[in-house]
Each structure stands twice: as C-alpha cells, then as structure tokens.
Amino acid sequence: MKVKRTERGWAGHFCCSYDCKFRRNTLLEYGDIKIVVSTVGNYWPQHKMENNRKLEKWEQEIGANRFYETMAFYSKPNDDYYHDADVSKEIYFNSQWAINELNKHTDKLANKMHEDVVKELSKKLRIGKV
C-alpha cells in the first residue's frame, strides 16, 4: 500500500502561525492512520510591528533558540473532513526539527527539513513503526 500525501494551504500547529511567513502542512494517510507534518517559521508578530516601529529585527523566535520548527501529530480522531492535527498527540522523529538561524537560504532549508520529516514518517508508516 502507498502512503497518500496531501499538501495543504494552512499551518498545522503554533498558535501564532498566522504571523509566520513560512507555513507548510502535509497530511500523510496510510490505511486508517492520518499524520499531519507541520513546519512554521519566519515569524513576524504583527502586534510588535504595530506597537514598536523602531524594532531593527522584525523576525522573532517561535520557541527557545529557533526561528523555524517542524512537528508531527496524529490527526483529530473525529475530524473526518480536514484531518487537522491533534496537538496533544505529538509524533516524535529523528530528523532535524528546528532551525536557529536566519539568512537568505533559510526557507530552502526549512523546506528540506519538512521533506525529510515527511520521508521519515512515510517510511515508518509503511513498515508499521508509527
């Protein structure tokens, strides 16, 4: 059986994701198992921009020492339409999950980080390790 992959147009986690310039959400489906892989980053909090125009560095960390992060979750069990992430059911993985620097290549690195997690979890789904 093949893992079905669906790229989606909204963030899968992080309560302030609406202020992130980078958002990816990939749904992986294998039989009855549905997993959401979410990457967010390049966080420009609107409230700080509006309240303090003198900030030299608009980009803010989304967590301790990181500007981008990838997380994975099982989907909500009763959500049979969107299959959004159940953030109380995190799935751990071995691939890189955070980026702690910003430069002109960071979005490219974040895409690779996301793809690496998707590949790792797809493989684990196929061999029954998730």
Side-chain angles (χ1 to χ4, degrees):
M1 183 176 2
K2 187 175 179 181
V3 176
K4 180 181 176 187
R5 173 185 173 150
T6 307
E7 293 293 330
R8 299 163 348 140
W10 60 92
H13 81 288
F14 185 50
C15 61
C16 294
S17 62
Y18 53 85
D19 281 338
C20 289
K21 305 285 187 223
F22 186 95
R23 296 182 290 245
R24 285 204 53 196
N25 176 336
T26 304
L27 176 65
L28 301 175
E29 299 176 80
Y30 190 76
D32 292 338
I33 302 171
K34 294 173 180 55
I35 294 174
V36 177
V37 178
S38 173
T39 302
V40 294
N42 200 0
Y43 176 44
W44 291 49
Q46 191 65 36
H47 68 280
K48 286 189 177 183
M49 293 171 65
E50 291 169 355
N51 296 330
N52 187 353
R53 301 247 179 237
K54 295 180 183 178
L55 281 176
E56 290 182 28
K57 183 174 138 186
W58 294 106
E59 303 93 345
Q60 301 292 305
E61 292 178 344
I62 59 172
N65 301 315
R66 62 186 179 274
F67 292 99
Y68 291 71
E69 70 181 13
T70 298
M71 298 184 83
F73 308 92
Y74 290 103
S75 71
K76 294 178 181 174
N78 296 327
D79 182 355
D80 59 0
Y81 188 76
Y82 289 109
H83 307 292
D84 277 333
D86 181 345
V87 296
S88 70
K89 294 184 179 169
E90 186 174 354
I91 299 170
Y92 298 97
F93 47 84
N94 296 317
S95 298
Q96 178 185 354
W97 66 276
I99 298 174
N100 60 5
E101 61 184 69
L102 292 173
N103 60 49
K104 65 181 181 178
H105 304 290
T106 310
D107 280 358
K108 184 177 178 179
L109 294 172
N111 273 316
K112 181 182 180 329
M113 180 172 67
H114 185 93
E115 288 299 321
D116 288 347
V117 173
V118 167
K119 287 176 188 172
E120 178 183 338
L121 293 178
S122 293
K123 181 179 178 181
K124 286 181 176 180
L125 279 166
R126 287 191 301 273
I127 62 174
K129 296 288 185 183
V130 177

